[in-house]
Amino acid sequence: MRLALKVDVSSRRGAKEGVPRLMEMLARHRARATFFLALGPDRMFQRPWLPGGDIGRRCAALFRGVRDAGFEVAIQAYDPVRWRQTIGAADAAWTQTQMECACEAFLRIFDAPAHAHGSSDWRMNRHAYRLTQRLQFRYASDTRGTCPYIPVRNAEIIACPQLPTTLPMLEELMARDGIAAEDAVTRLLEATARPVEPPCHVYTLRADREGILFAARFEDLLAGWRAQDYALTALEDCMRDINIARLPRHNVVDATIAGRRHPVALQGPEFLA
């Protein structure tokens, strides 16, 4: 059984403090992961009008070290705060500029094109879905859902498979049920106790949460998943097991889920089923 780990790195503090600690924990538990990197401005206090240092330029050596340690690296929103606040009503030009800036920064740091995209906070629009295809990503992880699929938005088939997040986050369980982090770990391990259908579960974590605030609890999760006999992998490892030609087509919708204040991109019903 596989359980893929998707790490969102959205701030300089998360990169500088959280990423090294996560790399150490993952190595101890013989785990791989995919680091989805924000490579643009670091907006202080989540305020889009405040200036922020360039995460990609200031953390380039660190991010190359993540890749060199054997972890998968990919892109998320270039400017996560602006993306979350703007993407719902953004036009094609704004969306394209944001995604192309992320791709250019990734190429500058790694001397290789970005091959996967993971939207910040699972916020998307129809232009962003189209660009995952036009920018020739091998896969994307922009949505919440239950299984890999080909996304369909407003009856338009997007030729870039989605590998959605299947499990709730620690912070979502804490907010939804009013429980402590220790109890949220127990709930997650209960959710993964049953064998998973191929190819894998996907769990999303944040470098500035599980890498700093909830580091001890995340290590409990890693140990628990190892005890449940999961292979802890990067998303690219799951994609190798997938026959893209046989993936179902599902509508993508914007909907609210328990534990989150804002709507997220969600895997909806199968298209033309």
Side-chain angles (χ1 to χ4, degrees):
M1 299 186 298
R2 292 184 186 271
L3 193 153
L5 299 171
K6 175 177 180 273
V7 184
D8 282 351
V9 185
S10 301
S11 68
R12 190 154 58 100
R13 184 182 181 222
K16 292 287 191 181
E17 297 181 35
V19 167
R21 186 178 295 181
L22 286 171
M23 290 172 66
E24 291 174 2
M25 283 192 280
L26 293 168
R28 280 197 296 273
H29 292 274
R30 305 183 309 282
R32 295 192 73 228
T34 304
F35 287 75
F36 285 87
L37 308 174
L39 301 174
D42 182 18
R43 304 285 177 184
M44 294 183 295
F45 311 114
Q46 302 291 296
R47 299 295 190 266
W49 59 86
L50 290 175
D54 189 301
I55 303 171
R57 292 186 186 278
R58 295 189 178 189
C59 301
L62 171 64
F63 292 155
R64 285 191 289 268
V66 173
R67 176 203 60 191
D68 295 344
F71 298 104
E72 183 185 16
V73 290
I75 59 169
Q76 60 154 299
Y78 179 72
D79 184 340
V81 173
R82 285 194 184 278
W83 180 277
R84 289 193 292 269
Q85 296 181 353
T86 306
I87 192 63
D91 60 17
W94 187 91
T95 306
Q96 182 171 344
T97 296
Q98 287 290 304
M99 292 179 72
E100 287 183 345
C101 282
C103 288
E104 290 165 5
F106 189 95
L107 181 62
R108 184 170 61 247
I109 293 168
F110 297 105
D111 198 28
H115 67 277
H117 180 266
S119 177
S120 180
D121 272 11
W122 306 281
R123 303 294 297 276
M124 290 286 282
N125 64 22
R126 62 191 178 94
H127 312 298
Y129 287 115
R130 288 172 176 170
L131 283 161
T132 62
Q133 173 180 312
R134 194 181 311 163
L135 294 170
Q136 300 183 330
F137 297 135
R138 293 204 295 270
Y139 74 89
S141 187
D142 303 314
T143 61
R144 304 290 289 258
T146 58
C147 66
Y149 66 99
I150 299 297
V152 181
R153 180 74 172 193
N154 297 334
E156 178 182 351
I157 297 170
I158 308 297
C160 179
Q162 284 283 334
L163 194 54
T165 295
T166 64
L167 293 168
M169 301 175 70
L170 277 177
E171 60 192 67
E172 291 171 356
L173 290 171
M174 294 165 66
R176 184 188 75 187
D177 300 333
I179 57 177
E182 294 84 353
D183 298 317
V185 168
T186 300
R187 298 274 177 92
L188 270 170
L189 292 176
E190 289 172 351
T192 57
R194 296 175 297 279
V196 62
E197 294 295 325
C200 63
H201 267 309
V202 176
Y203 177 74
T204 294
L205 57 139
R206 301 186 191 280
D208 57 0
R209 297 292 197 276
E210 283 86 346
I212 302 174
L213 298 177
F214 306 138
R217 302 290 74 78
F218 181 60
E219 187 135 30
D220 292 341
L221 271 177
L222 293 175
W225 284 328
R226 274 298 185 193
Q228 291 176 343
D229 205 29
Y230 279 97
L232 302 176
T233 71
L235 273 70
E236 65 180 353
D237 301 320
C238 292
M239 285 301 302
R240 293 192 188 101
D241 296 336
I242 293 173
N243 184 339
I244 294 176
R246 294 192 173 186
L247 285 180
R249 296 171 179 175
H250 282 257
N251 291 293
V252 286
V253 297
D254 295 327
T256 56
I257 61 174
R260 300 204 70 81
R261 290 183 299 169
H262 302 292
V264 300
L266 188 66
Q267 179 181 1
E270 192 167 353
F271 182 60
L272 297 181

